[in-house]
Amino acid sequence: MEKIKDQFANLHILRRSSEPKEPTYLLGIDTSKTVPAEKGGLVAVLCSNGSIRIYDKETLNLLREFSGSPGLLNGVRFANSCDNVYSASTDGTVKCWDARLASEKPAQLFKGYPSNIFISFDVNCKDHIICAGAEKVEDDALLVFWDARFTSQDLSTRDPLGAYSETHSDDITQVRFHPSNPNMVVSGSTDGLVNVFDLSVDNEEDALVATCNSVSSVSCIGWCGRDYKQIYCMTHDEGFCWWDLNHLDTDEPITCLNIQDVRDVTDVKEGHLDYLIGGLYHENMDRLFVIGGTNLGKIHLLSCTKTGLSHVTSLQGGHAATVRSFCWTVSEDSLLTGGEDAQLLLWKPGAVEKTFTKKDSLKIASSVQQRVRVHSSDSYKKRKQQ
């Protein structure tokens, strides 16, 4: 534990992205997986104006920007085997761009069913299957699936393979495939349910491996534990749950931890916790860590055990407002963070920033304010009514 504490505490800002022409909240971050870490790579950032920005990972220079128009984009994910970058759109599609090219037009378009509004998605570890979660329309909240494999007779537009419609009763806010098993996927919803599916099974009812209840609107889910047989969940009102799927066929309870509001029970040294950002499973340590923060930009590292969340250490001096996204590459001790101050920061051990100009918190137009961090289970319903 001391090692990870020192690793995190020793992170310092190496670079900041230049201020864009249109300041936006930075809602999601992913990095390309095809280039060795020491040779740099690409960073894709989901912005609150409905676009994806592509940066050089080493310099944080903005290379290009992709628009989700006419819809707003939700989520950002690089392919595992190439530099394609994906995002789900409220226009009922999942879009795929070649991040190396400046073309505004997506390389592929995965079309949903009529009336689909996609707010979450993921691509499996082999880049073969895409799954997107939709807002509830009438009585249906759909998980929609596509074949994402490229073929010699490739089509730029793909229709769905099918959909699951019986396991969620409200907006599907999160979708995450298993890191190494291409058939396993977990979904989370504003109905509070977190469902685990095995896609190698033919029908939805039999494919449902487990249903866990967070009792609140799900904001983040992920896989953890040895062989990634555990899942964790965060909620829009700062709750945290952790379940062990190894216990599904035993008499042991699958719930490892269930905290209704982490802000009430987590003791942060010389400070406080305002929100959770996400989780990170450290394979070498076999330990789940949770990242949280304050409204003034301080970042907290929390360790997760069956007794609760405990504060390990903190980073400060980088952001001036709420931190909305992070991407921590443990193998190279580097951390990328994005916030409501429109800054993308690269942190590395012992780094010295050449130019230090901490930005003030930004006042951004109302179109962005509609996509601020939500803390209630009916947030998406409110957005639909606007």
Side-chain angles (χ1 to χ4, degrees):
M1 183 61 68
E2 286 301 316
K3 181 179 178 181
I4 194 71
K5 179 179 179 179
D6 292 342
Q7 281 181 327
F8 194 82
N10 194 39
L11 292 174
H12 298 279
I13 299 166
L14 179 64
R15 287 189 179 86
R16 300 173 188 262
S17 60
S18 58
E19 190 167 323
K21 293 179 181 178
E22 181 188 358
T24 67
Y25 295 172
L26 307 186
L27 305 176
I29 302 173
D30 197 23
T31 57
S32 58
K33 303 168 180 65
T34 57
V35 177
E38 65 273 10
K39 294 185 179 180
L42 300 174
V43 179
V45 178
L46 172 67
C47 303
S48 56
N49 65 354
S51 71
I52 298 287
R53 290 178 182 153
I54 305 297
Y55 294 86
D56 181 284
K57 188 177 179 182
E58 288 305 303
T59 64
L60 295 191
N61 289 334
L62 178 63
L63 302 177
R64 57 195 59 92
E65 187 168 358
F66 302 124
S67 171
S69 180
L72 289 174
L73 297 177
N74 291 284
V76 60
R77 186 75 62 195
F78 271 104
N80 294 283
S81 57
C82 62
D83 285 335
N84 286 345
V85 64
Y86 299 84
S87 189
S89 175
T90 56
D91 67 7
T93 66
V94 174
K95 304 177 192 294
C96 170
W97 294 272
D98 186 335
R100 299 165 299 180
L101 304 178
S103 173
E104 269 291 314
K105 184 179 179 181
Q108 282 197 309
L109 197 66
F110 300 88
K111 296 181 67 176
Y113 298 104
S115 78
N116 280 163
I117 299 172
F118 293 127
I119 55 176
S120 59
F121 87 103
D122 200 11
V123 185
N124 78 349
C125 60
K126 292 186 177 294
D127 297 333
H128 289 176
I129 300 291
I130 293 173
C131 175
E135 287 188 351
K136 181 181 179 181
V137 175
E138 295 181 349
D139 293 328
D140 291 325
L142 299 183
L143 279 170
V144 182
F145 299 90
W146 296 266
D147 184 342
R149 291 174 293 184
F150 285 88
T151 66
S152 58
Q153 297 177 336
D154 202 32
L155 301 175
S156 60
T157 301
R158 298 280 184 95
D159 292 322
L161 292 171
Y164 289 169
S165 61
E166 303 297 325
T167 40
H168 284 295
S169 61
D170 213 333
D171 302 345
I172 300 173
T173 54
Q174 288 283 300
V175 177
R176 282 291 174 268
F177 275 99
H178 191 278
S180 58
N181 185 334
N183 293 317
M184 299 296 291
V185 64
V186 59
S187 60
S189 167
T190 55
D191 63 12
L193 299 183
V194 175
N195 291 326
V196 182
F197 299 96
D198 181 354
L199 303 185
S200 65
V201 181
D202 286 341
N203 63 78
E204 180 178 359
E205 182 178 358
D206 293 337
L208 183 63
V209 174
T211 294
C212 307
N213 194 347
S214 71
V215 201
S216 189
S217 174
V218 175
S219 64
C220 176
I221 53 177
W223 297 84
C224 60
R226 292 288 184 198
D227 299 321
Y228 291 93
K229 291 185 177 180
Q230 299 174 349
I231 52 176
Y232 64 87
C233 157
M234 299 170 194
T235 66
H236 285 116
D237 51 6
E238 313 310 339
F240 179 82
C241 300
W242 177 25
W243 299 285
D244 192 337
L245 303 181
N246 289 299
H247 297 163
L248 283 174
D249 298 322
T250 73
D251 294 332
E252 294 289 322
I254 68 167
T255 301
C256 302
L257 191 61
N258 189 331
I259 303 174
Q260 186 173 357
D261 190 333
V262 299
R263 295 168 296 184
D264 295 337
V265 298
T266 305
D267 182 22
V268 177
K269 302 180 185 71
E270 299 178 3
H272 62 283
L273 179 70
D274 289 324
Y275 53 84
L276 299 177
I277 309 169
L280 171 84
Y281 175 64
H282 196 298
E283 289 186 345
N284 293 338
M285 295 184 64
D286 186 23
R287 178 65 62 90
L288 174 62
F289 292 94
V290 173
I291 308 294
T294 71
N295 295 329
L296 296 179
K298 195 172 184 179
I299 302 170
H300 299 309
L301 176 69
L302 309 172
S303 174
C304 179
T305 66
K306 292 184 179 181
T307 59
L309 299 177
S310 58
H311 179 245
V312 178
T313 188
S314 300
L315 295 178
Q316 57 187 335
H319 291 280
T322 298
V323 179
R324 298 291 294 271
S325 53
F326 77 96
C327 184
W328 189 7
T329 307
V330 175
S331 60
E332 56 179 295
D333 282 349
S334 74
L335 175 70
L336 287 159
T337 57
E340 293 185 3
D341 54 6
Q343 291 193 96
L344 175 66
L345 303 184
L346 173 62
W347 307 70
K348 286 199 170 184
V352 177
E353 188 181 7
K354 292 182 179 179
T355 57
F356 185 90
T357 54
K358 185 176 178 181
K359 308 293 193 305
D360 293 331
S361 183
L362 298 172
K363 300 296 183 182
I364 304 177
S366 59
S367 62
V368 172
Q369 293 169 356
Q370 293 175 8
R371 293 173 61 75
V372 299
R373 185 178 183 84
V374 290
H375 291 276
S376 62
S377 60
D378 62 349
S379 58
Y380 291 105
K381 295 184 182 66
K382 290 178 180 176
R383 178 154 58 84
K384 284 187 282 187
Q385 293 169 359
Q386 290 176 343

